[in-house]
Amino acid sequence: MFGILYTQSSYEMLKNTIPQETLIEKAVNGGYDFLALSNSNLHGTHQFFKAMKKTRLKPVLGLEINVALDLETSRFLVFVKDQTGYQNLLKLVMKKQSSEIAFQDLLSLKEGLMFVSLGLSSAIDQHIMKDEQDQAYRYIQQFKALKSFYIGLCLDSFDQEMKVAPILKEMADKAGVLLLPLHQTSYINHEDEEAYEALIKIDSEHNEKIKDANYTFMTKNELIELFQDYPFVFKNLSDFIQSISYTYQPPTFEMPEYPTPEGTPEAYLRSLAIVGLRKRLKKIVNAQEKVYQDRLLYELNVIHNMGFDSYFLIVYDFVRFAKTNGIFVGPGRGSSAGSLVAYCLGITDVDPLTYDLLFERFLNPERITMPDIDMDFPDDKRDIVLQYVKEKYGKHHMVSIVTFGTFALRSSIRDIARVMKIDTSRVNGIIARVIKDDIDETDYEMVRLLKVAKKIEGLPRHTGTHAAGMILAKQDLTESIPLQIGINDFYQSQYEQKDLEELGLLKMDFLGIRNLSIIDEVVTRIQQANPEFQITDIPLDDEKTYHLLERSDTSGIFQLESSGMRAVLRKLKPNSFEDLVAILALYRPGPMDNIDEYISRRNGKSFEYIHQDLKPILKNTYGIIVYQEQIMRIASEFAGYTLAEADILRRGVSKKDRQVLENEEKRFIQKCLEKGHEKSI
């Protein structure tokens, strides 16, 4: 088994220039049999194992750690040997977030893990460099207590090769500890060396690369040549890798079970929804009760069959907590407004039947995905709701989601220019020329700056926190996925949102909206003078409001205050709630092209429907497809799709998924023909 230890990826932020996928590709083409990833974090490891499945290489999971000894520190690479080791590695990851790792911690978590001293970062090598061989040897003897301890042999610099390596070999032989080959892999080739040096300087101006050190990615032949005086280390390494039995098995997750006062979650949800429907129907004029009841029972059956009873109860519970504690809750966002169950539970305040919203857009029984109810709270009270949910389900069961800020070209130019000590005014001029694509190839400073900046463009620069998303799970997440310390006393996943969703974890969006804070404050002030006032009592046909909108006097009004939207309001002169709904749907890239035509038709311009069967669906929007629900209605009523099938078509349109659209085009035409429509239509 051939390869090398101490390979890292660009997730080792500000210390490595090699994207993970590039590292894997180089290992495949470089004659490796395994790839040992050993960053100082576990970011991207789910994607690492997923990508490695497509290769012939054995994936090995490691972690670089710094360990506190009595009066100094020593670095180790820690590798996972088996499933027990993986659990202990997760504990080490957690430990290093909250405090420094002590040697005693390694002893208590050593089962299933293998430890390798990390070259010049090791206390052993440091003492050899100081000619303190006795102390170096004492550390070797101490580290042997780790059970699976190896000495890392690194030849990346002259001092390591000539001064440290010979003594390390003698000590290893004397102590009966095996030597393993290390090579710090921080950039692909020497062309990237300047970018690496700039990167570590961005991290800290005090960082310096050892002048003669070579941290390029090395092929099998290059590594064999590097270690030609110590060829036996590759046999040791092969045995080391072959002893690793750990295979990555993505954990299985479930959502928490809502603690119902009695009975099953299904029965409790049903009873809450039925009671809620009765309350809602009292306020709906001329409601067709049978239509509402049938829709509610249909939704409840789908929710139960898909296993989401507890999900709705969890959301209902924290929304109820917010409302009973004077925390304003948004009326509904996105596809969840299509659920009558959500409306009856008070999760949303939008009647889906009044606005012809479709449940299948929210939950499609033919496309099993997690439900997604985005909740809006005032930005100054969002944390109160989060704390309630965390206390109810446990700190280890609710975590925030990591995001990665990356180097954009302009920010890269500024960062590299600072490292190169280029004057700020000069940098602004260079950026202006880059924007205009006006590069002076004779300007050496500019060319050098851009060359380095482009090499780090797109690399992760720092971690952040997902603005709204939280993960909620029945399982103790500290035992399943790598975590780090987040903000506001929350743990944070080291995996990104796409990885967490692939693992089947439940993401809930708690959005903090500044406009809701403003509305909440206004309502509070009104209620001081008029205690009976409720914002839900404001009619949707209030004349004064529409006069204000016609004048485009909309400063501070969410989604209506931009100069472009004000211009649209002046042309449209909205006088109904339907006008507002339509213009908000149209005012986004793509649909914006239809705004002028929509306004012309609404103001009396004649038009024809492609087919009269489309008139009931497109009448309110003057023959223009404005809403995703209209796509579904056309597929269902014009082409004979089920609503669940229609949602798959809608999703293909929404996501611009070419493969889905090509498949659906043939299907749509065929089903239209079966309905008796002409092919030309």
Side-chain angles (χ1 to χ4, degrees):
M1 297 289 287
F2 191 88
I4 195 70
L5 301 182
Y6 203 23
T7 44
Q8 297 185 324
S9 75
S10 58
Y11 281 112
E12 191 66 18
M13 285 167 278
L14 302 180
K15 294 184 176 70
N16 190 289
T17 68
I18 312 174
Q20 191 163 274
E21 58 272 20
T22 304
L23 182 66
I24 294 171
E25 180 185 345
K26 296 296 290 185
V28 169
N29 297 329
Y32 288 27
D33 298 306
F34 71 88
L35 180 57
L37 190 66
S38 50
N39 295 326
S40 60
N41 57 67
L42 296 181
H43 298 310
T45 51
H46 172 70
Q47 289 299 321
F48 170 70
F49 282 107
K50 184 179 173 183
M52 288 290 282
K53 277 188 175 180
K54 301 173 184 176
T55 74
R56 56 174 178 75
L57 305 187
K58 179 175 182 174
V60 176
L61 180 61
L63 181 73
E64 179 185 341
I65 60 171
N66 196 41
V67 178
L69 305 174
D70 292 335
L71 297 173
E72 57 190 314
T73 62
S74 187
R75 284 191 178 272
F76 292 84
L77 296 180
V78 186
F79 294 96
V80 174
K81 184 174 184 178
D82 53 31
Q83 187 60 39
T84 300
Y86 179 69
Q87 296 297 320
N88 284 331
L89 191 76
L90 291 181
K91 291 174 184 175
L92 276 178
V93 169
M94 288 293 295
K95 180 70 179 173
K96 71 180 291 191
Q97 302 297 322
S98 55
S99 62
E100 65 179 7
I101 298 173
F103 187 71
Q104 192 59 40
D105 295 321
L106 296 193
L107 291 175
S108 64
L109 295 172
K110 65 185 179 183
E111 291 303 317
L113 293 175
M114 301 190 289
F115 302 86
V116 183
S117 64
L118 186 51
L120 281 182
S121 300
S122 163
I124 299 170
D125 292 37
Q126 283 294 309
H127 283 289
I128 292 174
M129 287 288 290
K130 297 174 187 175
D131 291 324
E132 297 169 353
Q133 274 79 338
D134 289 346
Q135 183 58 41
Y137 190 72
R138 275 195 289 272
Y139 275 129
I140 291 175
Q141 292 295 339
Q142 179 182 344
F143 297 163
K144 284 174 68 177
L146 292 171
K147 187 177 175 182
S148 293
F149 170 66
Y150 302 80
I151 296 174
L153 178 67
C154 188
L155 308 177
D156 288 343
S157 69
F158 180 82
D159 281 345
Q160 289 172 298
E161 183 175 1
M162 303 307 294
K163 188 169 184 178
V164 177
I167 296 173
L168 263 187
K169 182 179 184 308
E170 287 180 17
M171 289 185 177
D173 291 342
K174 181 180 176 182
V177 178
L178 295 178
L179 285 174
L180 295 179
L182 301 182
H183 170 59
Q184 181 175 333
T185 305
S186 300
Y187 44 91
I188 291 297
N189 51 44
H190 290 296
E191 288 183 10
D192 298 333
E193 188 170 355
E194 187 175 18
Y196 166 74
E197 292 188 70
L199 205 60
I200 62 174
K201 285 283 188 184
I202 292 170
D203 183 31
S204 170
E205 63 179 17
H206 302 296
N207 286 339
E208 293 283 353
K209 173 182 169 290
I210 298 173
K211 286 192 187 306
D212 65 336
N214 176 9
Y215 301 145
T216 59
F217 181 93
M218 288 191 176
T219 64
K220 179 177 181 178
N221 291 337
E222 289 169 333
L223 288 167
I224 289 173
E225 183 178 351
L226 178 65
F227 287 92
Q228 60 184 323
D229 293 334
Y230 306 92
F232 58 89
V233 295
F234 291 113
K235 171 65 168 64
N236 295 346
L237 181 60
S238 181
D239 293 341
F240 175 88
I241 297 299
Q242 286 178 343
S243 72
I244 293 174
S245 60
Y246 175 73
T247 54
Y248 177 67
Q249 296 295 332
T252 302
F253 295 102
E254 301 171 80
M255 71 180 69
E257 290 182 9
Y258 179 79
T260 56
E262 58 182 42
T264 64
E266 177 194 12
Y268 187 55
L269 176 64
R270 186 173 291 256
S271 65
L272 286 173
I274 290 171
V275 170
L277 179 60
R278 289 197 200 111
K279 291 179 181 178
R280 292 292 195 185
L281 287 174
K282 287 178 183 177
K283 295 186 177 183
I284 300 172
V285 179
N286 299 323
Q288 295 178 284
E289 292 192 19
K290 181 69 165 57
V291 174
Y292 279 87
Q293 290 166 355
D294 290 347
R295 169 74 171 258
L296 187 70
L297 293 176
Y298 165 71
E299 288 191 17
L300 286 168
N301 286 335
V302 171
I303 290 166
H304 176 67
N305 291 336
M306 295 180 76
F308 295 140
D309 296 310
S310 280
Y311 174 84
F312 275 82
L313 291 171
I314 289 166
V315 179
Y316 154 77
D317 178 66
F318 67 70
V319 170
R320 180 185 59 175
F321 164 81
K323 290 181 175 179
T324 55
N325 284 275
I327 298 173
F328 207 73
V329 180
R333 167 193 289 273
S335 63
S336 62
S339 170
L340 183 63
V341 170
Y343 180 58
C344 292
L345 294 179
I347 294 170
T348 64
D349 284 312
V350 179
D351 179 355
L353 274 70
T354 296
Y355 297 103
D356 196 25
L357 303 179
L358 302 174
F359 178 66
E360 288 78 5
R361 183 181 162 190
F362 169 59
L363 265 191
N364 187 338
E366 294 186 18
R367 183 176 55 83
I368 306 298
T369 56
M370 283 296 203
D372 187 14
I373 299 179
D374 297 344
M375 298 304 306
D376 295 339
F377 302 97
D379 63 347
D380 59 349
K381 294 179 180 176
R382 170 182 178 264
D383 290 346
I384 300 172
V385 181
L386 290 177
Q387 288 296 330
Y388 170 78
V389 180
K390 183 178 75 172
E391 288 171 16
K392 181 149 194 154
Y393 299 100
K395 183 176 182 178
H396 294 174
H397 300 264
M398 185 183 191
V399 301
S400 62
I401 303 170
V402 74
T403 59
F404 293 98
T406 57
F407 283 100
L409 182 57
R410 290 190 207 179
S411 62
S412 301
I413 291 171
R414 293 193 185 280
D415 282 324
I416 300 299
R418 190 171 64 253
V419 169
M420 293 181 175
K421 302 193 181 326
I422 299 174
D423 185 78
T424 305
S425 59
R426 167 94 167 110
V427 175
N428 291 336
I430 290 172
I431 291 175
R433 297 192 72 164
V434 168
I435 293 170
K436 296 175 184 175
D437 197 22
D438 178 24
I439 310 302
D440 182 358
E441 298 294 342
T442 65
D443 184 338
Y444 172 75
E445 188 175 59
M446 177 192 290
V447 171
R448 177 177 172 235
L449 172 60
L450 292 180
K451 181 181 177 183
V452 176
K454 285 179 179 178
K455 284 189 179 293
I456 69 169
E457 184 183 3
L459 296 180
R461 193 191 198 287
H462 55 77
T463 62
T465 302
H466 191 288
M470 301 294 295
I471 293 298
L472 202 57
K474 180 179 180 180
Q475 288 75 15
D476 183 336
L477 292 170
T478 64
E479 298 176 355
S480 309
I481 58 174
L483 302 178
Q484 59 193 31
I485 300 299
I487 58 176
N488 296 332
D489 197 34
F490 277 93
Y491 288 126
Q492 183 175 83
S493 165
Q494 290 197 10
Y495 290 161
E496 294 177 88
Q497 177 181 330
K498 63 181 180 181
D499 297 335
L500 298 170
E501 289 176 343
E502 279 183 15
L503 290 170
L505 279 156
L506 173 65
K507 179 177 79 75
M508 289 187 169
D509 282 331
F510 297 76
L511 292 101
I513 306 295
R514 173 65 181 147
N515 293 77
L516 280 186
S517 302
I518 295 169
I519 292 170
D520 190 21
E521 183 181 346
V522 171
V523 169
T524 301
R525 291 189 185 187
I526 294 171
Q527 288 173 339
Q528 289 170 357
N530 179 6
E532 301 302 315
F533 173 77
Q534 294 294 326
I535 195 169
T536 50
D537 294 336
I538 296 175
L540 297 182
D541 58 357
D542 180 67
E543 248 183 75
K544 289 183 179 179
T545 299
Y546 289 105
H547 288 322
L548 178 145
L549 295 173
E550 284 176 13
R551 298 194 307 270
S552 71
D553 185 10
T554 53
S555 291
I557 298 179
F558 188 46
Q559 294 193 343
L560 296 181
E561 59 184 330
S562 70
S563 58
M565 179 57 92
R566 288 185 185 188
V568 170
L569 290 173
R570 284 193 293 271
K571 285 193 285 186
L572 176 65
K573 300 192 182 313
N575 57 26
S576 69
F577 187 64
E578 186 66 42
D579 282 343
L580 290 179
V581 176
I583 210 64
L584 285 168
L586 283 167
Y587 196 79
R588 55 195 69 221
M592 291 179 80
D593 297 341
N594 290 312
I595 289 177
D596 288 339
E597 181 65 19
Y598 175 88
I599 293 173
S600 296
R601 291 185 183 187
R602 179 230 188 227
N603 291 338
K605 178 183 175 182
S606 63
F607 65 93
E608 292 182 2
Y609 294 95
I610 294 172
H611 192 283
Q612 284 304 301
D613 287 359
L614 300 179
K615 187 173 181 178
I617 302 170
L618 301 180
K619 181 180 178 182
N620 288 343
T621 53
Y622 312 103
I624 298 170
I625 300 174
V626 174
Y627 310 122
Q628 294 192 24
E629 281 80 3
Q630 289 174 318
I631 294 173
M632 294 175 67
R633 285 285 184 211
I634 292 169
S636 172
E637 295 168 26
F638 191 77
Y641 281 58
T642 65
L643 285 174
E645 291 170 337
D647 179 63
I648 293 170
L649 170 58
R650 173 204 66 81
R651 187 175 178 82
V653 173
S654 174
K655 300 291 183 183
K656 300 180 177 65
D657 188 321
R658 177 175 290 277
Q659 185 174 349
V660 170
L661 292 176
E662 287 176 352
N663 292 338
E664 290 298 329
E665 179 183 19
K666 297 170 189 170
R667 192 162 176 239
F668 181 85
I669 292 170
Q670 182 58 39
K671 291 182 80 68
C672 284
L673 293 173
E674 291 169 5
K675 287 273 287 186
H677 299 301
E678 296 178 8
K679 189 165 186 179
S680 59
I681 294 291

